[in-house]
Amino acid sequence: AQTVTQSQPEMSVQEAETVTLSCTYDTSENNYYLFWYKQPPSRQMILVIRQEAYKQQNATENRFSVNFQKAAKSFSLKISDSQLGDTAMYFCAFMSLARSYGKLTFGQGTILTVHP
Amino acid sequence: NAGVTQTPKFQVLKTGQSMTLQCAQDMNHNSMYWYRQDPGMGLRLIYYSASEGTTDKGEVPNGYNVSRLNKREFSLRLESAAPSQTSVYFCASSEAVGGYYGYTFGSGTRLTVV
């Protein structure tokens, strides 16, 4: 079974600065997806970014980028130019491509607070 | 708007009561899921339905039952609620495209069992 670990329960950052959220995972599989989801106080789950394990290039989406280290099983999220609207819970998640029917395994979550 | 609709949004139950959480999606997705979210534990899969007519246990199925009524609807039932089932429940649906399952989540149900 896969496990996903987020070791930072809470993080804070000043507006306009950069912050990195950590995630490690454990799997014996070679083909999978990794995700970062954002959950603001509204409770809605919002996909921030996804990474295919077979791609060596790190995914980027505007101010959000990842550092994917497949051998180390590490998948961190960097948020540049932090904005007040980035304040939320962030979840790292894993999806196997092997008969998983799209099941997601989530980490514990990191609460990010952006201060003005 | 297209998406996943969960009802109710909030519910308070007494220990031992039963209830059904409803979920419907209008995107013609084959797969549907129920997750629960607890502080410090992230979201954990309760049950899933890979396609209409099939259901399977996830990580934490004890105390729950599910019904995939048709392709659109996937309900979660608590037969005898316990305080340990106090949680936020999310329904989601997905469709596989080239091996990748694109998810849509509902807005969640906050359930309190007293």
Side-chain angles (χ1 to χ4, degrees):
Chain A
Q2 292 82 18
T3 59
V4 178
T5 302
Q6 294 177 248
S7 59
Q8 304 155 315
E10 296 186 40
M11 295 280 286
S12 64
V13 65
Q14 292 297 125
E15 195 174 9
E17 293 187 346
T18 297
V19 64
T20 299
L21 308 184
S22 300
C23 173
T24 59
Y25 60 95
D26 188 23
T27 184
S28 58
E29 299 180 18
N30 197 44
N31 296 318
Y32 48 87
Y33 284 97
L34 294 164
F35 306 87
W36 280 98
Y37 278 91
K38 171 185 178 182
Q39 186 183 48
S42 67
R43 262 193 346 230
Q44 188 65 43
M45 294 291 287
I46 301 166
L47 178 64
V48 175
I49 200 166
R50 84 173 197 224
Q51 174 79 43
E52 292 93 325
Y54 68 87
K55 288 187 176 180
Q56 292 186 338
Q57 185 173 7
N58 290 326
T60 63
E61 288 287 343
N62 300 315
R63 297 182 295 107
F64 299 89
S65 62
V66 298
N67 183 5
F68 174 49
Q69 301 290 329
K70 190 172 183 179
K73 298 179 182 176
S74 171
F75 183 61
S76 61
L77 175 69
K78 185 172 82 171
I79 306 174
S80 303
D81 186 24
S82 297
Q83 300 176 359
L84 297 178
D86 295 333
T87 292
M89 173 84 84
Y90 287 81
F91 292 101
C92 178
F94 173 101
M95 180 189 290
S96 166
L97 293 181
R99 296 196 307 267
S100 76
Y101 306 107
K103 292 181 287 183
L104 284 170
T105 301
F106 287 87
Q108 302 90 329
T110 297
I111 299 172
L112 176 66
T113 303
V114 181
H115 297 286
Chain B
N1 292 335
V4 176
T5 302
Q6 287 184 238
T7 55
K9 295 191 182 306
F10 300 92
Q11 184 71 48
V12 178
L13 287 179
K14 294 182 178 179
T15 298
Q17 286 185 320
S18 62
M19 80 161 294
T20 299
L21 280 63
Q22 307 286 353
C23 176
Q25 52 94 6
D26 57 6
M27 296 166 289
N28 203 37
H29 285 173
N30 278 314
S31 301
M32 297 186 73
Y33 317 82
W34 278 104
Y35 290 86
R36 61 177 288 174
Q37 180 180 0
D38 302 292
M41 304 190 77
L43 281 76
R44 294 178 293 168
L45 183 63
I46 305 171
Y47 271 93
Y48 68 101
S49 172
S51 60
E52 185 180 357
T54 69
T55 60
D56 284 287
K57 295 178 180 179
E59 183 184 353
V60 288
N62 291 344
Y64 305 95
N65 285 301
V66 290
S67 295
R68 184 75 183 264
L69 304 170
N70 47 56
K71 192 171 186 180
R72 290 187 63 247
E73 299 173 286
F74 188 40
S75 62
L76 178 72
R77 183 162 179 83
L78 287 71
E79 291 290 352
S80 179
S84 61
Q85 294 178 304
T86 293
S87 188
V88 178
Y89 291 85
F90 285 94
C91 178
S93 69
S94 76
E95 189 66 27
V97 178
Y100 169 69
Y101 287 75
Y103 259 65
T104 300
F105 283 90
S107 57
T109 296
R110 180 174 292 279
L111 175 67
T112 302
V113 183
V114 297

